[in-house]
Amino acid sequence: MALFPRIGIQMGSMTTKAFLALVGGLFISSSSFATMTLVSISGASNQDISDATKPKIYGGFAGTCTAGMDGTSTCDSCTGADIGGSKLWPCNKTNAYVNLNLVVRTAFQGAAGTSPSPFVKIGDNKLTTITQTIEDGGTVLNTQIPWGALCGEASGDANCKTNFNKEVVIGIDTTANGSTTTESLSFTVISRFVDTSAAGTEWFYTDCNTTASADNSGFCHFKAYPGDGKIYADELVISATKLATPVAGLEYSNLVFFTEAEQTTGEAETTILARLSNASTYYNVSVNKSADPPVADDRITGLDNGVHYCTVMANQDTTGIISFFTPIPGTPGSPVTVAELCTTPSEVIGLLDDKHCFIATAAFGSDMAPEVQSFRDFRNKFLLSHSWGRSFVKFYYKHSPYYANLIAESEVSKGLVRVGLWPLLFFARMSVAFGFWTTLMILSLATLSMIELYRRLVLGRRFRGEL
């Protein structure tokens, strides 16, 4: 009997040989795992490699491209074609298509003198309709996957008309001296499809005015406001679902504004709006999750003063798909008015482009103070809508910086000015909430009532000799 005293097991000669063979085989044929390194990605609508250990690949399918489908690059499906009477429909300027090749290049260590075996897997299933080659002296794996094959394995729909969010693993097995090494890298692949064959629920948002709507996705209201050579997307409202799209794990990353200018002076706004399409001149506004509303900037810049513009808004997700457009006036059930979408940039109106309200800012300490914003709202709604108001604004911003600097240098001056501004602030806030003339009437009646009360209680008692 053979004895293993350390573990107290006795074995016969045949059993011992089998055991030793098993142990030796485990060491000789051992397996190990390592992580590949991403080199590059192409043939995708978008990519996110901020986390190099698990990159994200996006495919957006919306509309049909009329050119550029060479199998190596995405194409622009925002053609401005009329579909069902509308030229505003979901599209993608980096559109994917079924025979587009997703190309992923990854670096690996490998083992010299071996026959590597590359693979692509979704779950336990290996993809077969792929091309994998080893390049750069045996250190880089080039993987080409047609989107149709990827969609078919991930969602069961080789036409890529089904949304999915899947983990895809690209890897390679190398064997040397009986030892197998598996190197791989996991990707999250997110794909979204929007049907453009006929008007659908993802074509237009339901305008939510000042109240977020649960039926919408992304931003669902704005009002065009003029600036100096620009238009502000004012009064932005986001839906109850915030930045979430109809696809799990996919969010909106930009707002896109499609804009058309008048072609002749005084051209009817309805004519300008009729020219708007998803091929019109467009401007991107990035999303900023920490802001309220969550946009990085609300300006559409590079416009000409004195030219009338009309613009519509749409939501763009990370796959590049642009959807949920503004329902332009005339769309059945749309409450949006022409005045909300059309405006004229002006140098006079643009005097506040930097959002300074000099004296109020000096008094309250910041141009973002709620009191300053109230004065700004009053200016936007009432002063700049009248010629006399614009003249006053121009005069004010020509002369007020000097006095604002004096106020900012003294805490006593700041306090006195704040006291003086409170009645005006009260009037501004009431005007924004209830209307200028309603507020003026209410305050006039209140003032007359106080005067009458003073006349009766104070002057009357003095006249009667009671005081």
Side-chain angles (χ1 to χ4, degrees):
M1 303 289 286
L3 179 65
F4 293 85
R6 290 183 180 274
I7 56 177
I9 299 177
Q10 290 184 335
M11 296 183 179
S13 59
M14 294 297 293
T15 307
T16 303
K17 291 178 181 179
F19 178 76
L20 292 176
L22 175 62
V23 173
L26 288 174
F27 282 99
I28 295 173
S29 303
S30 61
S31 298
S32 60
F33 299 89
T35 301
M36 290 177 132
T37 304
L38 178 65
V39 177
S40 65
I41 299 172
S42 62
S45 296
N46 198 6
Q47 56 183 283
D48 179 1
I49 57 175
S50 57
D51 182 357
T53 63
K54 195 164 186 178
K56 292 182 179 180
I57 297 174
Y58 299 93
F61 300 80
T64 302
C65 298
T66 57
M69 295 189 293
D70 57 5
T72 61
S73 303
T74 57
C75 58
D76 185 354
S77 65
C78 302
T79 62
D82 190 312
I83 299 180
S86 176
K87 292 183 287 187
L88 296 172
W89 39 268
C91 64
N92 192 345
K93 294 187 175 296
T94 55
N95 204 49
Y97 42 97
V98 293
N99 64 334
L100 172 65
N101 282 315
L102 172 63
V103 181
V104 180
R105 302 181 76 242
T106 49
F108 65 98
Q109 298 295 322
T114 63
S115 297
S117 177
F119 61 86
V120 177
K121 295 197 304 183
I122 298 179
D124 295 328
N125 299 326
K126 287 188 176 182
L127 277 69
T128 56
T129 313
I130 59 174
T131 302
Q132 290 184 291
T133 56
I134 297 174
E135 304 172 346
D136 295 356
T139 60
V140 173
L141 175 62
N142 185 313
T143 301
Q144 296 186 40
I145 314 170
W147 273 97
L150 182 58
C151 293
E153 187 62 45
S155 67
D157 181 0
N159 292 318
C160 297
K161 294 184 177 181
T162 302
N163 302 329
F164 66 84
N165 183 335
K166 292 286 186 178
E167 181 177 301
V168 178
V169 178
I170 294 177
I172 189 168
D173 293 328
T174 55
T175 304
N177 301 321
S179 177
T180 300
T181 299
T182 299
E183 298 180 64
S184 63
L185 184 61
S186 295
F187 299 80
T188 298
V189 180
I190 300 176
S191 176
R192 181 187 175 197
F193 167 76
V194 180
D195 188 3
T196 58
S197 60
T201 56
E202 298 179 45
W203 281 35
F204 300 100
Y205 58 73
T206 301
D207 190 81
C208 52
N209 199 3
T210 57
T211 304
S213 171
D215 298 330
N216 282 313
S217 181
F219 288 84
C220 49
H221 178 78
F222 86 103
K223 181 179 179 180
Y225 177 79
D228 184 2
K230 61 179 69 69
I231 292 175
Y232 289 99
D234 203 15
E235 300 179 15
L236 279 168
V237 181
I238 193 168
S239 66
T241 57
K242 301 298 182 183
L243 298 175
T245 72
V247 181
L250 181 66
E251 291 188 330
Y252 294 109
S253 55
N254 291 296
L255 284 177
V256 182
F257 292 89
F258 293 93
T259 302
E260 287 285 343
E262 61 181 0
Q263 294 182 346
T264 57
T265 303
E267 183 179 24
E269 292 174 326
T270 53
T271 304
I272 303 173
L273 285 170
R275 282 201 306 274
L276 279 167
S277 75
N278 58 17
S280 296
T281 303
Y282 69 96
Y283 303 83
N284 285 337
V285 173
S286 299
V287 163
N288 178 3
K289 294 182 181 180
S290 62
D292 184 20
V295 291
D297 196 344
D298 62 353
R299 295 176 294 180
I300 303 168
T301 59
L303 306 181
D304 295 323
N305 287 331
V307 176
H308 204 55
Y309 293 87
C310 292
T311 185
V312 294
M313 177 177 70
N315 294 268
Q316 184 179 41
D317 66 30
T318 316
T319 72
I321 289 180
I322 303 168
S323 58
F324 291 100
F325 285 78
T326 302
I328 61 174
T331 302
S334 173
V336 180
T337 64
V338 172
E340 291 177 297
L341 305 182
C342 301
T343 191
T344 305
S346 165
E347 183 179 1
V348 173
I349 293 177
L351 283 170
L352 288 182
D353 276 349
D354 292 331
K355 293 192 174 182
H356 289 306
C357 189
F358 297 107
I359 292 178
T361 298
F364 292 102
S366 169
D367 63 355
M368 298 305 293
E371 295 84 0
V372 179
Q373 182 60 46
S374 295
F375 284 118
R376 191 178 295 125
D377 291 340
F378 178 80
R379 175 215 69 193
N380 293 350
K381 193 168 184 179
F382 299 107
L383 294 182
L384 296 181
S385 59
H386 299 88
S387 58
W388 61 266
R390 291 192 291 271
S391 298
F392 171 77
V393 169
K394 189 173 183 179
F395 174 83
Y396 174 79
Y397 282 94
K398 179 179 179 180
H399 298 284
S400 63
Y402 170 78
Y403 300 101
N405 290 332
L406 295 178
I407 294 168
E409 294 173 355
S410 169
E411 290 299 324
V412 175
S413 297
K414 288 181 182 179
L416 292 174
V417 172
R418 281 198 296 269
V419 172
L421 286 176
W422 275 115
L424 296 177
L425 176 63
F426 179 73
F427 180 81
R429 286 179 170 174
M430 281 195 66
S431 297
V432 172
F434 304 108
F436 179 85
W437 294 110
T438 301
T439 300
L440 188 62
M441 183 175 64
I442 292 173
L443 293 181
S444 297
L445 291 174
T447 302
L448 291 174
S449 298
M450 292 180 66
I451 292 174
E452 179 62 19
L453 187 63
Y454 175 79
R455 189 181 69 81
R456 292 191 177 190
L457 294 180
V458 178
L459 297 182
R461 294 179 66 184
R462 283 182 177 176
F463 179 78
R464 294 191 299 270
E466 297 176 2
L467 291 178

